[in-house]
Amino acid sequence: VCAATESLNRARQLEKTGDVAAARNLLRQAANGASTSPDDLAAWAEFLDQRRDPEARAAYEKLARATNDAAQKARALRRLLI
């Protein structure tokens, strides 16, 4: 299991127990870490987007620049247009 998946699974567990702040911190750290992957960035952007957080736009922009996956880039760019 990759680190991004582990972070996302842990964040979901934290949310289920009502600790949204800890989930947010975990995903933010994963998205801004030294070994950040596009999957980390996607998880962070989606988390923010689901909460209508204005930081979601910057997170999607960062994801679009960072990913080499065409489908992931297209999803990020689509969210920037909506």
Side-chain angles (χ1 to χ4, degrees), residues 46-75:
E46 290 165 9
F47 179 88
L48 294 171
D49 195 22
Q50 290 169 356
R51 285 150 189 80
R52 302 190 193 289
D53 189 305
E55 288 183 53
R57 181 168 184 78
Y60 279 119
E61 288 172 352
K62 188 174 179 180
L63 171 60
R65 286 190 308 270
T67 189
N68 292 323
D69 180 279
Q72 194 172 47
K73 184 181 291 276
R75 282 191 302 275

Side-chain angles (χ1 to χ4, degrees), residues 12-33:
R12 286 182 179 153
Q13 289 173 347
L14 289 166
E15 279 188 282
K16 285 180 184 177
T17 63
D19 199 348
V20 177
R24 180 185 181 94
N25 288 335
L26 177 70
L27 291 172
R28 179 184 13 229
Q29 288 173 355
N32 292 307

